[in-house]
Amino acid sequence: MALTVVSVSGHTWRLTQRIGSGSEGVVYAVDHARPLVAKLVPAPPDPAAYRRRIARLVRQRREPRAVRLLSGTTPRVAWPMVGVRAGGPGPDGVDGYVMADMRHAHQPFARLLTPQARRTYLPRATWATALAAGLSLARLLADLHAEDYVVGDLKPDNLWVDAQGGVGIADVDSWQFTDGGEVFAGRMGSPGHTAPERIGAPAGTAPDRAADAFVLAVLVHELLMCGLHPFAGHPAAGTDYLSYDDNILHGRCRLLDRTSVVLPRSAPPVDLLPRRLTALFRAAFGGVRPPASAWADALAAESEPARLRTCRRNPLHVHTAERPWCPWCDLAEHGTDGYPAQAPTPSADGAAPYPKDVKGMEENTPWQR
């Protein structure tokens, strides 16, 4: 059954099928000549404050700081275009907004993280594509921070990626920003993608750039290590594994202490990473966190053709020039080939789902269990 939403100016939008949902909202396709979707949030904690937040973001779309973020031929940000309401002006109405449909040019970010999804949806992706995605994400986050936005809830579910590794972001309505002296606070993070100081923090604790920088490092690690979370692994001390967050709080990370966790032999080796990036990861997880701009500089340097090697046996096996032999061939011998030579034909099932529909895909890799 189609829904109708109305903007403040009285413009009517017809919503068609439901294409995604999450903890806060539901996303619908919009019947329009342009690729658009609408997000409706049925029960925000403070409906009036949520409407004010959306109105400010819509207005900022015309301001220089947002214009800079939205420039380019491929959208990087699914910015609110117009606030809308379904169900009329009464208390039963539902607020939301219309935004660009990221499925038009992107795939859900999780599809680049695991061999299974990558083989089906991004069959030409290599480790160089993962580097490009990390670089694109780092540059995007650096640009957001430069314009005084904090994502707060940075995670695969909010991210999109194209075949070349270009990254886009959605769920702008959850960001932290200031407008006219008023601070619109960001929300808390998500399990596995939250800085340690924010895990268990009281509700309403404001995120900052350092919290975003921690999660950026987690995401770059997942990209470059074939989906492996940097805090994955069973505690080596013999205690029960509880969660990524528990490992984060206790500093159980192979990059910080090889003896802190136990991982199967099928896990990508630590020396798959260039030394320059390994140093940044160690700083991000156990020292002074590098900002997004530092990640962008390092990933750009490691993406240079002279820094990459292609395996003679499999052209999809790309690795750092620091590694004298192919790490992906080594992993293939253990039954875990992150970039297999023979990829199946991509599924012809139409447009990609919203990330909520592929949630957990990045957790299905054997070494993360």
Side-chain angles (χ1 to χ4, degrees), residues 207-220:
D208 56 17
R209 293 179 180 85
D212 277 356
F214 179 89
V215 183
L216 170 64
V218 170
L219 291 167
V220 172

Side-chain angles (χ1 to χ4, degrees), residues 110-288:
R111 289 182 172 177
L112 188 57
L113 295 182
T114 64
Q116 301 95 321
R118 191 166 51 243
R119 287 169 60 189
T120 301
Y121 298 103
L122 295 162
R124 296 185 179 181
T126 68
W127 194 69
T129 312
L131 274 174
L135 172 58
S136 178
L137 176 59
R139 284 175 171 168
L140 174 58
L141 189 61
D143 289 347
L144 293 176
H145 287 172
E147 302 299 345
D148 204 26
Y149 294 104
V150 176
V151 177
D153 194 22
L154 187 63
K155 59 184 177 181
D157 285 347
N158 296 342
L159 298 172
W160 297 83
V161 65
D162 63 24
Q164 290 73 45
V167 172
I169 189 169
D171 282 0
V172 178
D173 57 320
S174 68
W175 292 1
Q176 180 168 289
F177 63 95
T178 302
D179 186 283
E182 182 177 4
V183 177
F184 292 83
R187 67 185 181 200
M188 301 299 288
S190 297
H193 294 90
T194 301
E197 68 273 12
R198 299 190 69 217
I199 297 175
T205 301
D208 56 17
R209 293 179 180 85
D212 277 356
F214 179 89
V215 183
L216 170 64
V218 170
L219 291 167
V220 172
H221 189 282
E222 290 179 305
L223 282 166
L224 301 184
M225 298 298 274
C226 212
L228 179 69
H229 193 286
F231 290 85
H234 195 90
T239 57
D240 291 336
Y241 171 82
L242 298 179
S243 64
Y244 290 148
D245 283 355
D246 182 65
N247 280 358
I248 290 172
L249 286 173
H250 290 88
R252 302 187 192 107
C253 174
R254 181 176 63 167
L255 281 167
L256 300 179
D257 180 0
R258 287 176 178 266
T259 67
S260 64
V261 292
V262 177
L263 288 165
R265 291 182 64 191
S266 58
V270 172
D271 61 359
L272 188 152
L273 297 168
R275 288 184 292 271
R276 177 179 4 218
L277 297 184
T278 298
L280 286 183
F281 283 123
R282 288 174 175 158
F285 302 142
V288 178

